Amino acid sequence: MSKLSLDRILQSQGFGTRKYCRALIEDGDVAVNGEIVDNYKLTVDTEGLVLTVFDEEWVYREYVYIALYKPANFECSRKPSHHPGVLTLLPEQFAWRDVQPVGRLDHDTTGLLLMSDDGPFIHAQSSPKRHVPKVYQATTAEPVTPELVQQLLDGVQLHDEPAPLRAVSCVQRGENGIEIVLEQGKYHQVKRMLAAAGNHCSALHRSAIGGLTLESLGLKEGEWCFLEQAQLDLLVPTQG
Ligand code: URA
């Protein structure tokens, strides 16, 4: 249980600066568990807290864990340069509370992207030591051959890597498609592995991270949802 003043709570949830949050409260725009409170100094228990701000309900969350179905032509970078950033797909509050992508997808890659404002969670999930399998569907420019699949399973050498990188699994899907599972998250890894194996990736989609699948979340492109503990528990590494 944690008790905080109402203005701090509002700020922590991304409603704006402390000054702005105080003004919201004093103007009578904020209800705490259904009752308007206009004293911003009031200390409130955050356990099970539901705020109403401008008639919209907001369940208090110390941290947020979000799954986004990333569409193409959005950048994961903090300072996007050529396309809008993925944060523009989420309510403004999330930018205020410094929600960031967990790892990155290229601007033209679609699919499951995790986002959070929990620094240790982001760090742990992005650590190269944490081998959470990630499932990708790649469309290839040239037809997929059994040799290509075998090469990806055996390992391909990328220029700046000390050792060959191999797919955990790789299955042909149609003439120009493969489903490839990787445990590392190196820069442009799928595209570079396909190029190193003599093909070219023309489209890429991430359908799952660990046991968490985009399908199970029922999201459409551009949609997002909160992840609860049972879903976070599916982000399990295969080893150490
Ligand atoms: N590998 C890539 O090449 N691009 C991505 O976006 C993700 C994995």
Side-chain angles (χ1 to χ4, degrees), residues 6 9-10 15 21 24-39 42 44 49-60:
L6 188 54
I9 291 180
L10 237 61
F15 285 98
C21 292
L24 281 182
I25 298 162
E26 286 184 329
D27 287 350
D29 292 323
V30 179
V32 173
N33 299 326
E35 287 201 23
I36 301 265
V37 174
D38 60 7
N39 172 10
L42 185 81
V44 176
L49 170 63
V50 181
L51 298 162
T52 311
V53 181
F54 291 130
D55 294 329
E56 228 179 280
E57 283 203 349
W58 185 261
V59 175
Y60 174 90

Side-chain angles (χ1 to χ4, degrees), residues 79-204:
K79 290 194 179 149
S81 47
H82 298 295
H83 303 277
V86 285
L87 267 170
T88 62
L89 294 163
L90 306 179
E92 206 186 342
Q93 264 134 295
F94 294 124
W96 275 95
R97 50 189 296 176
D98 207 19
V99 166
Q100 299 169 35
V102 180
R104 288 191 179 183
L105 290 177
D106 298 332
H107 81 273
D108 52 354
T109 302
T110 60
L112 180 57
L113 180 68
L114 305 182
M115 300 182 77
S116 179
D117 57 353
D118 178 350
F121 171 81
I122 297 173
H123 186 74
Q125 288 295 326
S126 324
S127 163
K129 291 193 192 124
R130 196 179 160 88
H131 293 201
V132 182
K134 299 184 182 75
V135 185
Y136 296 93
Q137 278 73 37
T139 306
T140 57
E142 306 300 329
V144 172
T145 59
E147 292 73 33
L148 174 80
V149 171
Q150 198 54 51
Q151 252 184 298
L152 294 169
L153 287 170
D154 291 343
V156 290
Q157 184 64 51
L158 303 183
H159 289 314
D160 50 355
E161 290 299 325
L165 296 176
R166 59 175 65 90
V168 178
S169 88
C170 186
V171 178
Q172 179 163 4
R173 299 274 187 232
E175 201 181 330
N176 284 67
I178 50 165
E179 180 171 286
I180 180 166
V181 182
L182 298 179
E183 280 184 346
Q184 313 90 348
K186 309 275 182 190
Y187 181 66
H188 292 330
Q189 189 172 342
V190 175
K191 292 176 185 169
R192 290 196 299 149
M193 284 177 73
L194 278 167
N199 206 316
H200 173 79
C201 179
S202 54
L204 188 59

